[in-house]
Amino acid sequence: MSIYKTAMKYMGIVLVLLFTLSGCNHKEHAPAAAAGDEAEPIKVTAYSAKSELFMEYDPPVAGEKTGFLIHLTRLADFKPVTEGGLKMVFTPSAGEPVTFTMPAPTRAGIYKAEATLANPGKYSLKLITDGKGFADEITVSEVQVLNKGEKPAEGHAGGKGAIAYLKEQQWVVDFMVTQPVKKDLGSFVTTTGELVPVSNAEATVAAPLAGIVSTTKQLPFIGKKVAKGEVVALIDPPIRPDGGIGQLGAAYAEAKNRVALAQKEYDRAKRLHDAKIAPLKRVEEAELALSSAKSALEPLEKSMGSVKGEGSGRIAVRAPVSGTVVEVTAGAGKGVEAGQPILRIVNTGTLWLKANLPASEIATAGKSLNATFTVAGLTDEFKPSRLVSVGDMLDPQTRTLPVLFEVPNQSGRLKVGLFANVAIRTGSVAGALAVPKDALIEDEARWFVFIQPSGEAFDRREVKVGVEDGGFVQITSGLKGDERVVTRGAYYVKQAESAAKGGADQGHAH
């Protein structure tokens, strides 16, 4: 998290606490009802596709002014509507509509109106905005206008919720309320893994013969790309006569002579046998001797072909594979023995991801596996190209089964030896009720969300969770699809809940 984001987060927390502890004394409100009238203000929350309306007003009485306090929030970013006029259109069950117009908000997100409705009864209400780039229409199903002296019906006030968190608090922090969504989610097993070289893409380059690493050619450095067949080192013959290219040449010549002699003996034995002069046993012995001589010559021929002397008796050592030099174990001017490693080359264009599947998940995972993984230091999520193999034997120490995936790495961003956090897909859940992971609050090993029954009122709700995929978590119980959930800023509602439990006044006067 950047310093800026951290600062903004704590600024938001401070603002939450300031609003909470101040009792919301700064908040605009609808004009109070007449003295002695103890009717509770009515609170209405309504939605369009683009807006949230939260409106507070005292129970309207026919022929008298009624104050309306209207909060308008854009659902796209959950910030206040800051400009444009607002029309309130009251339509009675019989008669002509009555319209009241406010040219602009009294301050960001808040419109204040005084309306007089002449006749008692039920009215439908539409609120129409004409803000620049934000035209909208919100319908309120019913506004009940009373006769003078009539009391409003019980439970008509609305706005119930145990936690008060005001619009002015919501608007100044990173906050969002949305409905759960229906999504197809994958089920996953999470485990650890490591990036390793492909088995045939790694080679140790060793000295084919004893000698001294020549100083006339610089050895490749770690990280250098080399091509198959490229000369990576020169070896000078040793001072002693029993090593180097001389020894190889002498051994090669001797072996060739033995093959030639054995071939002649075999041919002679065969002719004598055909003439019925020599027994079959002599032919068989000559054939065996020829085969043995050829077997001794074969590796010497390969050695002569691979070292390819570079003049002055030097031995040229070539890369057996293309790739990157990852280790250098010899130095210029140092003596080496035949078979001693000089350097190691790894082709990292394709890697293997070796994941450790827990024994308890073997039956669930089966053989048709696919996965995604992340590594420290890189923000991307990577996906292997295919499943290579699933092991048949558990590691006795970790009780895990090795699973290999092939990973394309043409960019070279992934490095051999990096550890990975692996998610192996084991199935899917169609049409799961899901919320963003940030909506969830964990408390004493239980999961909770905050729902919004009214614009400034929230409740804590315990939920049961299922699979997690792509930043969304399945809710298996505790939540309905039409309820609205705090998906960003749940922490601030939790702080408001804690402050309320501590005795701070969350209400405000009307």
Side-chain angles (χ1 to χ4, degrees), residues 80 165-166 325 477 498:
Y165 189 59
L166 308 183
V325 176
S477 67
S498 298

Side-chain angles (χ1 to χ4, degrees), residues 53-74:
L53 162 73
F54 176 65
M55 180 170 66
E56 299 174 278
Y57 60 96
D58 291 315
V61 177
E64 297 182 2
K65 285 185 178 180
T66 301
F68 291 84
L69 185 65
I70 300 163
H71 306 72
L72 278 181
T73 304
R74 297 190 302 264

Side-chain angles (χ1 to χ4, degrees), residues 282-301:
R282 181 172 175 179
V283 177
E284 292 173 346
E285 289 175 348
E287 185 179 13
L288 183 60
L290 176 60
S291 176
S292 177
K294 286 181 176 180
S295 297
L297 177 63
E298 184 179 356
L300 292 171
E301 282 184 330

Side-chain angles (χ1 to χ4, degrees), residues 53-278:
L53 162 73
F54 176 65
M55 180 170 66
E56 299 174 278
Y57 60 96
D58 291 315
V61 177
E64 297 182 2
K65 285 185 178 180
T66 301
F68 291 84
L69 185 65
I70 300 163
H71 306 72
L72 278 181
T73 304
R74 297 190 302 264
L75 292 180
D77 58 5
F78 231 75
K79 296 302 179 185
V81 174
T82 57
E83 59 181 342
L86 177 67
K87 291 181 181 179
M88 300 179 71
V89 182
F90 292 88
T91 303
S93 55
E96 295 297 318
V98 181
T99 301
F100 301 90
T101 302
M102 290 142 280
T106 56
R107 62 189 180 90
I110 297 177
Y111 291 83
K112 189 176 179 182
E114 289 187 338
T116 301
L117 299 170
N119 300 313
K122 294 180 180 180
Y123 290 73
S124 65
L125 172 61
K126 285 185 179 179
L127 293 98
I128 303 171
T129 64
D130 60 359
K132 184 185 297 184
F134 191 78
D136 198 13
E137 184 176 303
I138 307 170
T139 300
V140 177
S141 60
E142 180 183 304
V143 174
Q144 179 71 47
V145 178
L146 307 174
N147 284 305
K148 192 169 183 178
E150 184 182 356
K151 298 294 184 181
E154 290 291 329
H156 190 68
K160 300 301 181 182
I163 307 164
Y165 189 59
L166 308 183
K167 285 298 167 190
E168 293 94 325
Q169 294 170 284
Q170 299 171 27
W171 290 336
V172 296
V173 297
D174 185 19
F175 195 77
M176 181 70 73
V177 176
T178 60
Q179 290 179 310
V181 295
K182 293 275 189 172
K183 289 178 69 72
D184 294 341
L185 301 180
S187 56
F188 294 86
V189 172
T190 56
T191 185
T192 59
E194 182 182 1
L195 291 167
V196 298
V198 175
S199 60
N200 61 351
E202 178 181 13
T204 297
V205 181
L209 297 168
I212 298 171
V213 179
S214 178
T215 57
T216 60
K217 179 175 178 57
Q218 181 181 4
L219 288 172
F221 51 84
I222 293 177
K224 180 177 174 56
K225 304 285 187 183
V226 296
K228 182 178 180 179
E230 179 181 340
V231 176
V232 293
L234 294 176
I235 298 179
D236 291 324
I239 297 175
R240 65 181 190 273
D242 60 343
I245 193 70
Q247 179 188 13
L248 177 61
Y252 176 64
E254 184 179 352
K256 283 188 71 175
N257 289 334
R258 286 178 179 170
V259 170
L261 290 173
Q263 184 70 52
K264 288 180 180 180
E265 177 59 27
Y266 172 73
D267 294 340
R268 182 183 177 192
K270 197 168 185 308
R271 286 195 306 270
L272 292 174
H273 174 67
D274 292 342
K276 303 194 183 299
I277 299 173

